[in-house]
């Protein structure tokens, strides 16, 4: 575990562990610094591809993520986040190894969303790839047993081509349409869905569209990290509590 006393105590920032990707990072995406109104510093984990993490769930990636997290902490990170909700799979290892709070996945907010459920409701989760999101991911962040409904983007061509297959251009309008279609399918097929959690860190640019269609509370990685930053920084002085 990183010794916090060894950190560089310059202006505090939130460190983001990034997959090695080539797709655009538009405003709202975790990889775009304009998404947040507080300091964020990203660190790409070499060879951490979408294929290795999402499709293969390759646990050989755990140590490279720990190493990158430790480097960010030494530079002054007061908390660590990641650029992929599927890193929920490594949550316990990251928490154990790193000496600052770790916000590994927007799926951590399923705990909060559960508290908003009315009788008979379930938490809706929209994920980049339903077939890759497993009970092991849920167990790693302690949400097994919570009533959930999963909606995947597996059949959404633009979304999958860009964020799963690595296409280097993004049709934002088409991607928004696909997110809207997924939201409609979720609440039409499962009218019992209440609060919705967007698993993928590339989805926040379309969160407003999901809210408008479903009229339900919507959580994503930006809601998670804005809350995280507020818990770690003094609103009066801007000083870190860590």
């Amino acid at each position: 575990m990183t010794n916090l006393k060894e950190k560089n105590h310059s202006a505090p920032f939130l460190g983001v562990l990034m997959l090695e990707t080539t797709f655009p990072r538009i405003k709202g995406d975790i990889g775009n610094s304009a998404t947040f109104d507080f300091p964020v510093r990203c660190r790409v984990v070499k060879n951490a591809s979408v294929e290795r993490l999402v499709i293969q769930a390759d646990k050989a990636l755990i140590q490279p993520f720990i190493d990158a997290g430790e480097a960010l902490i030494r530079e002054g990170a007061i908390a660590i986040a990641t650029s992929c909700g599927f890193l929920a799979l490594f949550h316990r290892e990251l928490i154990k190894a790193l000496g600052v709070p770790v916000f590994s996945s927007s799926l951590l907010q399923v705990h909060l969303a559960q508290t908003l459920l009315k009788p008979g409701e379930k938490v809706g989760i929209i994920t980049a790839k339903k077939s890759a999101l497993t009970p092991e991911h849920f167990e790693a962040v302690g949400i097994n047993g919570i009533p959930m409904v999963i909606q995947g983007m597996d059949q959404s061509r633009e979304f999958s081509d860009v964020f799963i297959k690595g296409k280097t251009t993004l049709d934002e309008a088409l991607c928004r349409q696909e997110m809207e279609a997924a939201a409609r399918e979720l609440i039409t097929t499962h009218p019992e869905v209440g609060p919705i959690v967007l698993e993928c860190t590339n989805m926040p640019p379309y969160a407003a569209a999901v809210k408008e269609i479903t009229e339900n509370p919507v959580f994503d990685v930006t809601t998670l990290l804005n809350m995280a930053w507020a818990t770690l920084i003094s609103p009066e002085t801007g000083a870190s509590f860590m």
Side-chain angles (χ1 to χ4, degrees):
M1 178 178 289
T2 301
N3 184 344
L4 294 183
K5 294 180 180 179
E6 297 176 355
K7 287 198 308 178
N8 174 7
H9 290 282
S10 56
F13 63 88
L14 187 145
V16 180
L17 303 177
M18 302 282 293
L19 297 188
E20 192 171 45
T21 60
T22 57
F23 51 74
R25 298 282 187 173
I26 64 174
K27 186 175 180 180
D29 187 290
I30 195 173
N32 186 319
S33 61
T35 297
F36 302 101
D37 61 3
F38 52 83
V40 172
R41 188 176 301 178
C42 296
R43 178 67 57 90
V44 174
V45 180
K46 190 174 181 180
N47 298 321
S49 64
V50 173
E51 172 70 23
R52 287 186 68 190
L53 178 65
V54 177
I55 309 302
Q56 300 175 14
D58 185 356
K59 293 186 179 180
L61 286 171
I62 293 174
Q63 191 57 50
F65 274 96
I66 290 172
D67 293 343
E70 289 179 332
L72 283 169
I73 293 169
R74 287 192 296 272
E75 293 171 10
I78 62 170
I80 295 294
T82 83
S83 74
C84 183
F86 280 85
L87 276 156
L89 189 64
F90 302 162
H91 182 74
R92 289 173 178 162
E93 288 83 359
L94 293 172
I95 286 286
K96 183 177 179 180
L98 300 177
V100 299
V102 178
F103 301 91
S104 64
S105 172
S106 62
L107 294 177
L108 292 168
Q109 295 169 110
V110 172
H111 294 276
L112 177 56
Q114 179 192 24
T115 69
L116 305 180
L117 294 178
K118 297 178 176 67
E121 286 188 337
K122 298 179 179 179
V123 177
I125 296 176
I126 303 181
T127 180
K129 192 168 182 63
K130 182 178 179 179
S131 57
L133 192 60
T134 70
E136 191 174 2
H137 292 85
F138 300 149
E139 177 64 27
V141 291
I143 61 174
N144 264 349
I146 292 176
M148 294 180 286
V149 173
I150 316 299
Q151 173 69 43
M153 299 294 291
D154 305 59
Q155 304 306 313
S156 302
R157 183 171 179 178
E158 178 68 7
F159 189 97
S160 294
D161 282 353
V162 175
F163 300 118
I164 299 297
K165 298 177 184 178
K167 186 162 78 81
T168 57
T169 59
L170 170 65
D171 185 329
E172 293 182 46
L174 179 54
C175 198
R176 178 173 283 102
Q177 291 171 14
E178 291 176 343
M179 286 291 302
E180 291 171 346
R184 289 191 189 94
E185 182 176 351
L186 175 63
I187 61 172
T188 300
T189 307
H190 298 281
E192 74 274 21
V193 163
I196 294 169
V197 177
L198 306 183
E199 167 274 319
C200 180
T201 63
N202 310 118
M203 291 179 177
Y206 316 107
V210 175
K211 290 177 192 176
E212 184 175 350
I213 287 167
T214 65
E215 299 183 346
N216 291 343
V218 175
F219 299 87
D220 61 29
V221 74
T222 65
T223 62
L224 175 66
L225 298 188
N226 284 324
M227 178 177 64
W229 187 256
T231 67
L232 297 170
I233 292 291
S234 167
E236 289 81 16
T237 67
S240 168
F241 293 128
M242 295 302 298

